[in-house]
Amino acid sequence: MGVPPARADSGVGAGDRWHVEVDRALCIGSAQCIHHAPDGFRLDTARQSHPADPDTDANERVLAAAESCPVEAITITLLGSDETVFPPEE
């Protein structure tokens, strides 16, 4: 599957690399991340999510997975700068 092109308003910068983490203390195993980014996340035998590759190219599917997590267990930072991509700072 190819990565969809970045939209101007998506926060996904072409050429950016992200570090993706799942807070396993928060993860409830809803599998919404798998639904939105099947190549980006895996569920273990305890139904806990983890990124398939913690350091990945920025893409809208991974961002959609983070946005759809019902408990906001997924954190995305810009690789190298640790700037938060998701969740948005309030």
Side-chain angles (χ1 to χ4, degrees), residues 16 21 52 69 75 79 82 87:
D16 284 349
E21 292 183 29
C69 179
T75 303
L79 198 58
D82 293 330

Side-chain angles (χ1 to χ4, degrees), residues 12-73:
V12 177
D16 284 349
R17 300 262 308 150
W18 287 345
H19 179 75
V20 181
E21 292 183 29
V22 176
D23 184 335
R24 295 168 61 83
L26 291 176
C27 179
I28 60 172
S30 72
Q32 288 301 305
C33 54
I34 304 293
H35 173 75
H36 289 280
D39 294 335
F41 295 89
R42 304 283 181 264
L43 292 182
D44 62 19
T45 57
R47 291 197 47 83
Q48 294 282 290
S49 177
H50 58 93
D53 184 359
D55 298 334
T56 187
D57 291 333
N59 72 76
E60 290 190 27
R61 287 191 181 111
V62 170
L63 182 58
E67 292 172 337
S68 71
C69 179
V71 294
E72 291 189 353

